[in-house]
Amino acid sequence: MRIAVVFFLLLMLGVILMVGSRNVPPNSAPTLKIVTSFSILKDFVQNISKGNENVQIASIVPLESDPHTYQPTPKDSVALANADLIFINGLDFEKGIEKMITSSGFAGKVCDASDGITPRTEPLDPHLWHDVKNAKVYVANIVRFLCEHDPAHKKLYEANKGKLLEQLDLLDRWIREQFARVPFEQRLVVTTHDAFWYFGKAYGIQFLAPVGISTETEASAQKVATLIDLIKEKGVKAVFVENLANPRLLQQIAEETGVMVQGTLYADSLSASAGPAATYEAMMRHNVSTIRQALEKTVQCKP
Ligand SMILES: [Zn+2]
C-alpha cells in the first residue's frame, strides 16, 4: 500500500515537472504577441523586431488576399483576442477592423502605423506605403510603439530602425533613377484600382484606373468608357493587371484600345515567399521595374 502511494506521488511530481517545463522554460521572457492587419505591415514589424526571439507576428489578412474586402474568420478573432499589440493602416483601408478589435475582446494596444502622414482626402486614400518616404514614417511609428510597450528590446528596435531607414533611402533614390529616360509627359499607366496615387506623386507617373480607391465597388460602364477614350486620347501605352484583382476588366480595356497588358503590379498585399514581391522592398522594386520596362519598350525614350 505504502509503495503504491509513493509511486503515485512520484508520478504526480513527474507530471507537474513535465507540464511546468513545457509552459515556462527557465529564464525565458513571455512572448510578445503581435498582430498586423495586412502583410506589408507584417514585413515592417518583422524587420524591426529581427533578433528578438520572444516575438510572434501574424497578419490578419493572408498573403495574396484583398484587405479592402477580406472577411475575418473566427480564428482571426481568437488570434486578436490573444494578442498584446495590433498594427493597422487606418484611413478606412481595413474594413470593419475597429469592430473586430472591440468584438474579439482584444485587451492590448492599437498602433495606427500611418499616424502623422497627411493623406489625400478627395477621395480619402489609404495607400500611403507606395511612397517610400511614407514607409519611413510607418517604420518610425512602429519602432516608437514597440519601444514603449517592450522597453527591454529598445536598443535592438532602434538599431534595426537605423538599418531599415538607410535601406529605404537607397530604395527611394534607386526608384527616382529608374524613370529618368522616360519623358515626363509619356509616363502614363493604367492599373485596376486607384492604389498608386502616392507612387505617382512621388515618382512622377500618372496612373489611371477604372476601379476607385476601394475594390469593394465595381467599375461602372460609364467609367470604363471614359477611361477607354482617355487612353486613346492621351496615347497611353502600358496597361497592368494587379495581383489581387480579376484581370478580365483590364484585358477587355487592353483589347478595346489596342494596348498590351504589360505585367502584374502588387498594390495591397505581398506575394508568397517564392513570388516577386515577398517583402516591401521586393514589391517596390518589382513594380518599378515592371513599369519602367513597359514604358521603355513602348514610348520614345531619351538615349
Ligand atoms: Zn487598394
Side-chain angles (χ1 to χ4, degrees):
M1 182 69 181
R2 203 181 289 161
I3 291 169
V5 170
V6 171
F7 179 74
F8 177 74
L9 287 174
L10 281 174
L11 191 72
M12 287 310 290
L13 186 67
V15 167
I16 290 165
L17 284 175
M18 257 172 66
V19 169
S21 66
R22 199 182 305 149
N23 286 352
V24 189
N27 304 325
S28 81
T31 299
L32 183 68
K33 292 191 182 109
I34 298 176
V35 164
T36 67
S37 58
F38 74 121
S39 55
I40 293 168
L41 288 182
K42 185 183 173 190
D43 182 60
F44 289 145
V45 177
Q46 264 173 339
N47 275 304
I48 293 163
S49 57
K50 205 174 272 172
N52 179 1
E53 302 294 325
N54 293 319
V55 73
Q56 210 178 72
I57 311 160
S59 168
I60 295 177
V61 181
L63 292 170
E64 304 274 7
S65 291
D66 187 348
H68 292 293
T69 55
Y70 181 73
Q71 297 290 332
T73 64
K75 216 175 131 203
D76 294 328
S77 283
V78 173
L80 189 53
N82 291 326
D84 301 299
L85 308 174
I86 178 168
F87 292 89
I88 62 167
N89 183 75
L91 304 170
D92 275 349
F93 180 57
E94 308 98 334
K95 286 283 172 247
I97 191 85
E98 278 92 1
K99 210 173 129 200
M100 189 187 164
I101 288 171
T102 316
S103 64
S104 68
F106 173 71
K109 302 285 178 196
V110 183
C111 174
D112 183 341
S114 70
D115 198 27
I117 306 170
T118 307
R120 167 196 189 195
T121 51
E122 289 293 332
L124 184 64
D125 187 346
H127 305 90
L128 296 152
W129 57 89
H130 285 294
D131 176 350
V132 177
K133 288 218 160 50
N134 290 340
K136 289 174 68 181
V137 180
Y138 279 78
V139 168
N141 284 337
I142 294 168
V143 169
R144 199 179 318 118
F145 195 78
L146 283 175
C147 289
E148 195 185 325
H149 296 287
D150 183 22
H153 294 94
K154 192 169 187 280
K155 263 194 179 159
L156 176 84
Y157 297 142
E158 292 285 358
N160 285 343
K161 174 187 167 187
K163 280 184 241 164
L164 201 48
L165 292 184
E166 238 170 75
Q167 280 172 23
L168 291 173
D169 277 335
L170 286 176
L171 176 66
D172 190 63
R173 226 171 299 148
W174 176 82
I175 296 174
R176 286 169 202 286
E177 288 161 9
Q178 298 309 300
F179 300 115
R181 290 185 57 229
V182 186
F184 188 76
E185 61 284 359
Q186 301 212 51
R187 297 180 189 174
L188 297 162
V189 163
V190 176
T191 56
T192 313
H193 87 296
D194 193 4
F196 293 95
W197 184 84
Y198 297 99
F199 184 111
K201 192 161 173 274
Y203 307 114
I205 307 274
Q206 196 187 340
F207 285 86
L208 306 167
V211 179
I213 294 286
S214 172
T215 50
E216 277 181 309
T217 46
E218 286 185 7
S220 66
Q222 171 74 49
K223 203 160 177 199
V224 174
T226 310
L227 180 64
I228 286 173
D229 288 345
L230 206 59
I231 291 170
K232 288 176 181 167
E233 184 195 314
K234 293 199 172 202
V236 178
K237 299 282 194 291
V239 168
F240 297 94
V241 292
E242 284 175 25
N243 66 317
L244 301 178
N246 185 336
R248 214 177 47 233
L249 176 62
L250 270 282
Q251 280 159 355
Q252 178 208 331
I253 290 171
E255 265 167 43
E256 287 192 34
T257 54
V259 178
M260 293 246 302
V261 172
Q262 300 280 354
T264 302
L265 301 181
Y266 286 75
D268 297 351
S269 164
L270 299 180
S271 68
S273 57
T279 64
Y280 171 76
E281 180 165 352
M283 175 190 78
M284 293 302 287
R285 286 184 185 271
H286 167 82
N287 287 345
V288 169
S289 301
T290 306
I291 295 168
R292 177 181 58 80
Q293 281 161 18
L295 290 175
E296 287 189 350
K297 201 164 71 184
T298 54
V299 307
Q300 193 75 44
C301 286
K302 297 172 201 163

